[in-house]
Structure formats: C-alpha cells, structure tokens
Amino acid sequence: VTAVRPVDVDLLREVEQFLFLEARLADEGDYDGWEALWSDDGVYWIPANGDDIDPATQMSILYDNRSRIALRVRQLNHDKRHAQNPKSRLRRIVGNIELLDGDAGGDLLVGANFIVYESRERGTTIWGGRSEYRLRRVDGQWRMAAKKVMLVDNDRPLATLAFLV
Amino acid sequence: MSTAVTVAWDRLIEPDRVHGSLYTDPAVWDAELERIWYRTWVYVGHESEVPEPNDFVLKSIGPQPVIMTRDKAGGIHLLLNRCSHRANLVCDTARGNCSSFRCPYHGWTFANTGALLGYPFSSGYGGRELKSELGLAPVPRVASYQGFVFASMADDGPSLAEHLGDAAGEIDRLVQLSPEGKVQLTTGWLQHKVRANWKLLLENETDGYHPQFVHASIFAVADSGIGDLYGEKSTAVSRDLGGGHTENDLRPEFRRLGEPLRWFGTSPDRLPDYVAAMRAAHGEAAEQILVEGSPHVMIFPNLFIAEIQIFVLQPVAVDETVQHVTAIQFAGAPDLNRRMLQQTLGSVGPAGFLLADDSEMYERNQRGVQVRRPEWLVLKRGLHRERIDERGHVVGDATDEVPMRAIWAHYKSLMEDGR
C-alpha cells in the first residue's frame, strides 16, 4: 500500500487508547490487569529468526496460547520468579499505530512500533520492534485475540526477556 | 600461551573448592581458549542441520566463527570463516545452500570444501598458481557420533571416541528414543545471552541442588513433579562419567514409578502413534526405553542434552556466554515432536519459564564472584556419601556436587597439561 487511506479517526483514537493501556499495565507490572485484556482464545507470540516463521515447526522466543498466557502471569505473580523479582523498571513508547487491511474473521488488525527501555541490576537494555494485534470487541470492551511481537533483533543473541513485551 | 603458565592452577582448584578468580581472570580465559576450546573436542553442530548437498550453516568454536558445510558428495566440512587473502569474513549468512563462498572484498571464491576456486585478475600474481596453497582453513579434526559433529583445533590428541568415553552411551540412549534411530535438529535455535562466565553454566547443567529453589515459581504454578526428582528423597543419582562429562541419572526414579512416558509428563494414550512406532522398532525393549526416558547429560565442554532439548554453550568473553538452544526432534515421531517443540520453547530461551531464572542466577553469580571475600566456592556437598557404581563411575545422591567435582578435576588436568 503506497497511499494513505481515509481513516476512521474515532476508531483509531479508541485503538490507541487501548494500546496505551496495555503498554502501561505491562510497564507497571500489573499482570492481572494485563491478562484481563486478552480474549478467551488469545495467542501471544514472539517469533525468533525472522518474523514469518511457522510456530508449529520452528522455535519461537515465546508462543503462548491462552492457558499458557495464564501460566506466565501466575509465574510472574510468584515471588520466586527470580528473573522478574525485583521487577525490571520499564517504560515504553508505542507509536506508528495503523489500522491494517486484511481479513481477520471480523477482528480488527492493528500494527504499531515500540521501543522499551528496561532497567535492572544487569544494566539497561533497549528493546525495539513492531507488534501486530488482532483486536476484538467483547461485551463492549476491546480485547486482544492475538499479539505478535516482532523484535528487530530476533535473529541475534538476546538478553533475558522475562517482562511482558 | 605465555599467560597460561603464570596461573597457579594447583592453588586455585582444590578437590572440594575452587577460587572465584577462575570465573573472572582474563589470564584464565586466555588459557582456557588455548587449552580447552582450541584444543579438545568441542561440539559444533548436527548433520541434520545440513541435510542436503551444498547446505551450509554458521557455527562456532568458542568465539571463533566456523562454517559447517555439506559438499556435493555428502561430506561434512568445518571451515574457519576467514578469507585466505585479506582475512575478511567470507560468509555472513546464517544458513543456506550454495556450492561456493565468494569473499565480498576482492572476489576470491572458495568451494564448500574450502578449496580456493579462483581470484580475479589472476595475472597479478606473475603466473604463480595460488589455488593449491590458499584455501579456507579447515578445522584440523572433525568427527561425528550419531550425527553430532565435533571438532578439535589440535592436529592430534585423543580420538573422539576416547574423548566421549561413556558419555557416548548417553547419546545412544537419546537416539534410541527415535523409532528410526535418528535425532534431527531442525527447529532453529534461540540464542540467549548472559553476562556470566561459561563455567557457571557448565556447572549448573548437572547441579541437582538448584531446581527446587531457582525453579520454585514454575514448579508451583504449573503443579510440576520435576522438583521431586531433585529432592532429598529422590533415588536419582548424580554421576561423574569421566572426561569431565557429568549427568543427573533420573532413571532410578522413573523405574520406581514404572510408567511409560512419565519422563515427558505424559502417558501412552496421549501419544499412540509414537508408542506404536517404538514398539514396532524395539519390540519388548520398548517398554523399558519408554519408562527410563531421555538423558540429562553435560558433555564437556559445551554440549548439554537436557531430555527434550539441546543446549550448546558458547563462551564469547570471560564474562559473557551465549546459550544456543533447540528442541530435539526424533525421526519417525511427529506427534511427540510437536509436543517437544512446544514444551521446549515454553521452558527455554530469554523468556523461558525455566531458563530466564537460571540465567538470572548466572548473572547474579558473576557479580557475586567479584566480591572479595570469602574468595572460594564450595564443592563439598555429598563428599561423604560418594560411591562407585557397577561401571566404576563415582556417583552421589540427586542433589550432590559429584558433577562439579568431576568437571573441575578434568578442567585442572587440561589446564595443567601445558603441552
């Protein structure tokens, strides 16, 4: 697509507010609040070695179905999740938000870029990439049915990434 | 290496304790490169990563980049990634299929056997033919066992069979879990970087004392029974396999439980195709193989077979290590393979339920060994209850530090053998 399409500004604003909320809950380690943003069939995916691998046959950094998302949150809430105790100090910027074309079975496709600034005893790590979301309205609230996080450096050695990106 | 002779190994490595400087001293690191990484057998890659003629993949021997190729006749080669002309990197693609490598700097071209095929403007060498003398440097010794390709940068020394010793039997034990007798490493690798000396990882791989503490969170929330394998009452044993190779042998626990596939946290009714294929391949022996499960063995210095995944430790600096990890796949076991991949990627890598916590410990430990007192790390656990098994190996209880003592005794013998 090489031309800008007319955009539903109200819808875009609503989606932006949702993504900013998700970012803030993740940054502040509100794990239960973050988990509540998922639909019942949500899939959280961070591919490795490229953005378009087949997660059924290739290693991903993370590929959580809804029950594994819940497990991840339960682990983060446990005080012996050493990799996040103490929690990383985090702040992220989410930008370049676009409503994307495509058929997603009635879900809304959204793309956004991000930079996360992480500080912990190890030092400061800057994470960057693009996320693509499938968003769905459930009982009048936006929910994530899918979030795919494409790290710019997903084909290189990465530091521990135990927070919610 | 001149620095190596200045390290007093005898004063840093004692039978039941080691000095903290072994993890931080640049002179120790320099000596290790020469006496371990560029000399002994080191695991490099698996033949299944280059299945077709002319396939190649970038690998490493410690910090050194190596190209693993399969030539058109099927032979495996390990070539150092350095142009013989001006030392540029000849290959910067992680994997691919190509019969030759062309250096981007001046266009010298090498076959995937390492032979120099040609160089532009060849009259500039006054009629002298360079092809026979200026190929890519091959790694001096390359040998495979069950498809696992090992390399030694030394022209001579013990054979791979001598190096592996009884650890070879653990690889056999892994491979027989494939109905076709073959392991395939085809799911791609995660690379997890930690700010820690490689030996902290090496020691942790067969440390049966840490799981209940480091992995307390995932064991609790996933209601996992793994922690019990590494408890005070466990009948599992820790073992010194010789040659610096060590294992946590969990078979006694699984034999006691007597349930096929318990080691994988499942049961035969969940994997009927796999179980049928194993019975067809192994007959009556299948039952025992399915009960006893997969090995947990650390093959010195860098190949860790952890039941359902393979880790390769790559030291890149005295205080930095990259853990490469992939899911094991067994030929002829598609239903098991799918689950092994999903279970592996949940557990390992930068976001893994297990490895993120291990890696946090490695990094905390690296900071800890720089604290000046009490200088030593203690390896005494289980010293009073060591015993010799029927094969003559030293064994201890599940949580004992037999493996660490074995690693350090072997390490010391390598470092003191100045050659």
Side-chain angles (χ1 to χ4, degrees), chain A:
Chain A
V1 180
T2 53
V4 176
R5 292 179 295 110
V7 66
D8 179 339
V9 173
D10 290 339
L11 178 63
L12 179 63
R13 284 271 176 258
E14 226 180 288
V15 164
E16 283 176 357
Q17 290 301 306
F18 179 77
L19 298 191
F20 297 158
L21 171 64
E22 191 231 341
R24 178 160 49 79
L25 294 173
D27 281 347
E28 297 179 356
D30 183 343
Y31 305 127
D32 294 332
W34 180 85
E35 187 187 351
L37 300 182
W38 286 92
S39 68
D40 290 342
D41 59 349
V43 174
Y44 179 30
W45 182 26
I46 310 178
N49 301 309
D51 299 336
D52 297 312
I53 62 163
D54 176 2
T57 61
Q58 296 292 303
M59 290 286 286
S60 294
I61 295 164
L62 176 158
Y63 184 56
D64 289 357
N65 59 16
R66 186 61 184 83
S67 70
R68 199 174 269 187
I69 291 170
L71 181 65
R72 189 171 297 280
V73 165
R74 287 206 303 280
Q75 188 185 27
L76 284 165
N77 278 323
H78 195 284
D79 66 351
K80 295 295 190 294
R81 178 53 164 172
H82 306 287
Q84 276 301 305
N85 188 11
K87 290 176 182 175
S88 299
R89 291 265 296 160
L90 297 164
R91 285 297 168 191
R92 75 193 69 191
I93 300 290
V94 177
N96 303 48
I97 298 171
E98 296 175 285
L99 306 180
L100 303 176
D101 289 329
D103 177 23
D107 293 343
L108 186 65
L109 296 180
V110 177
N113 294 353
F114 65 87
I115 294 281
V116 189
Y117 196 89
E118 179 194 21
S119 172
R120 57 188 295 101
E121 185 66 26
R122 181 180 72 223
T124 299
T125 311
I126 296 170
W127 304 85
R130 173 175 179 79
S131 294
E132 288 183 358
Y133 300 81
R134 264 182 35 218
L135 301 184
R136 183 184 306 159
R137 233 189 253 282
V138 179
D139 299 332
Q141 299 293 323
W142 285 106
R143 293 288 176 256
M144 293 187 286
K147 180 181 182 185
K148 177 182 176 186
V149 181
M150 296 168 277
L151 295 169
V152 168
D153 45 5
N154 70 16
D155 59 345
R156 296 189 189 279
L158 297 175
T160 297
L161 173 59
F163 66 89
L164 298 169
V165 69

Side-chain angles (χ1 to χ4, degrees), chain A residues 48-49 55-59 63 68 72 74-75 78 80-83 120-122 155 157-161, chain B residues 186-193 195 213-214 217-218 221 341-342 346 350-353 357 360-361 363 367:
Chain A
N49 301 309
T57 61
Q58 296 292 303
M59 290 286 286
Y63 184 56
R68 199 174 269 187
R72 189 171 297 280
R74 287 206 303 280
Q75 188 185 27
H78 195 284
K80 295 295 190 294
R81 178 53 164 172
H82 306 287
R120 57 188 295 101
E121 185 66 26
R122 181 180 72 223
D155 59 345
L158 297 175
T160 297
L161 173 59
Chain B
T186 52
T187 67
W189 296 82
L190 299 186
Q191 301 178 70
H192 187 179
K193 178 172 65 176
R195 292 187 182 171
F213 310 100
V214 174
S217 64
I218 193 63
V221 302
L341 172 61
Q342 294 309 322
F353 294 130
D357 290 327
E360 186 72 13
M361 291 301 135
E363 294 183 340
R367 294 193 292 275

Side-chain angles (χ1 to χ4, degrees), chain B residues 76-190:
Chain B
I76 302 276
H77 302 266
L78 298 180
L79 307 168
L80 290 162
N81 189 7
R82 169 181 166 146
C83 182
S84 56
H85 173 223
R86 293 283 305 162
N88 214 288
L89 298 174
V90 296
C91 178
D92 55 9
T93 308
R95 60 185 54 78
N97 182 279
C98 197
S99 62
S100 63
F101 301 98
R102 184 175 164 88
C103 179
Y105 197 2
H106 300 93
W108 287 34
T109 303
F110 303 88
N112 57 11
T113 59
L116 176 58
L117 293 174
Y119 38 93
F121 317 148
S122 58
S123 64
Y125 293 97
R128 181 154 174 210
E129 179 49 71
L130 303 180
K131 287 183 187 172
S132 62
E133 57 184 283
L134 286 176
L136 296 177
V139 174
R141 293 189 298 156
V142 181
S144 293
Y145 187 76
Q146 299 273 28
F148 290 84
V149 179
F150 294 80
S152 164
M153 299 272 270
D155 290 325
D156 50 32
S159 68
L160 177 61
E162 289 167 324
H163 167 76
L164 289 176
D166 280 346
E170 301 306 308
I171 297 177
D172 296 341
R173 207 151 79 68
L174 172 72
V175 168
Q176 71 180 359
L177 283 162
S178 159
E180 297 174 13
K182 273 189 200 151
V183 161
Q184 295 172 321
L185 304 187
T186 52
T187 67
W189 296 82
L190 299 186

